[in-house]
Amino acid sequence: MAPETITAIPGRLDAVIARLTGTPRAEVQRAITAGRVTVDGGQRPRSHRLVGGELLTLDLPREEPLAPEPGPVPIRYQDAQLLVVAKPAGLVVHPTERRRTGTLVNRLLGMGVDLAPAGGPLRPGIVHRLDVGTSGLLVVASTDEAFVALRGLFRRHDVERGYLALVRGSPPTDRFGVEAPLGRRGGRIVVDRAEGRAAATEAAVRERFARATVLDVRPRTGRTHQIRVHLAAAGYPILGDRAYGGAGDDAARLGLTRPFLHAFFLAFDHPGTGVRIELEEPLPPDLNDVLRRARGLRP
């Protein structure tokens, strides 16, 4: 692909190119480091501040379109603007620069679903995510207008989300909350009271077993791995969650091969009509089987 020349807008070099071209920012940064980007004929670092009007010459890799793939995904609500799907456990939500197949987005494309381009070339329509091991309800935008509106709802915490989690231990009260800022340390999310971002989670006991408890968990913020880290920090790690202390004999005895975390409830005002949408998704068979085993281990 021949280099192209575009006129800059104000901002940081890598962010401006990503915005103007739709290329993932990490890909832009690699191109800058490799010398395939110039500003008025000269190379600049990726953090260079543009004032606007400079001529940017870009030799970026061609973005191949994402491939549609087979594999139906259950749709629980759909109209011309958005849809809500039941994501299976084990399915990554969207592609990355290094992994472009085997995701929810690929399957939705294979189903002929419209996905909002505003999400970007790797995340069309995706306004929020569920971890790969988490099952349950996920809203997806079909139009750019819905994408912007739904992102606003999530940013203002106007989307109500409920999760079922099976945790190790027995909380002393039927209701409790965790407020602890979260930050990233390498590939892990940790409680970081010095520099972390504010995060709050509420939980209520649904059912108690000999060595485990089913919780109805309501995140009041939307940080990465928030529920998993907050429950572990409170002393009640999600069973089956190897990353945050939920592995071991208790999980193995119940036959858990993934974290027992399921997004069972989703409610929000439709951004186009204002009509309230409330959906519930039953536990999938694998987690129902785990509960049956847990009930057989009552004291």
Side-chain angles (χ1 to χ4, degrees), residues 1-4 17-18 21-37 57-65 97-98 100 121-122:
M1 182 178 179
E4 63 175 319
I17 295 173
T21 66
T23 304
R25 190 163 172 177
E27 191 68 49
V28 172
Q29 291 173 345
R30 282 193 285 271
I32 294 172
T33 301
R36 293 187 278 113
V37 173
T57 301
L58 317 173
D59 184 9
L60 302 178
R62 183 184 299 275
E63 187 69 47
E64 296 295 331
E97 297 154 27
R98 291 180 173 83
R100 300 176 61 87
L122 296 178

Side-chain angles (χ1 to χ4, degrees), residues 218-266:
R218 306 287 171 134
R220 299 309 178 195
T221 50
R223 310 302 180 206
T224 300
H225 296 183
Q226 174 178 318
I227 294 174
R228 298 163 63 189
V229 176
H230 271 180
L231 291 179
Y236 311 110
I238 296 173
L239 286 175
D241 189 349
R242 298 178 180 179
Y244 297 106
D249 292 342
D250 291 331
R253 185 168 55 252
L254 295 172
L256 269 169
T257 58
R258 55 113 162 176
F260 193 119
L261 186 61
H262 175 69
F264 82 97
F265 181 77
L266 185 69

Side-chain angles (χ1 to χ4, degrees), residues 279-298:
L279 297 168
E280 291 196 23
E281 179 68 14
L283 283 173
D286 66 322
L287 298 188
N288 263 324
D289 289 344
V290 168
L291 281 190
R292 281 194 289 269
R293 295 188 190 98
R295 289 174 181 132
L297 298 175
R298 287 184 185 278

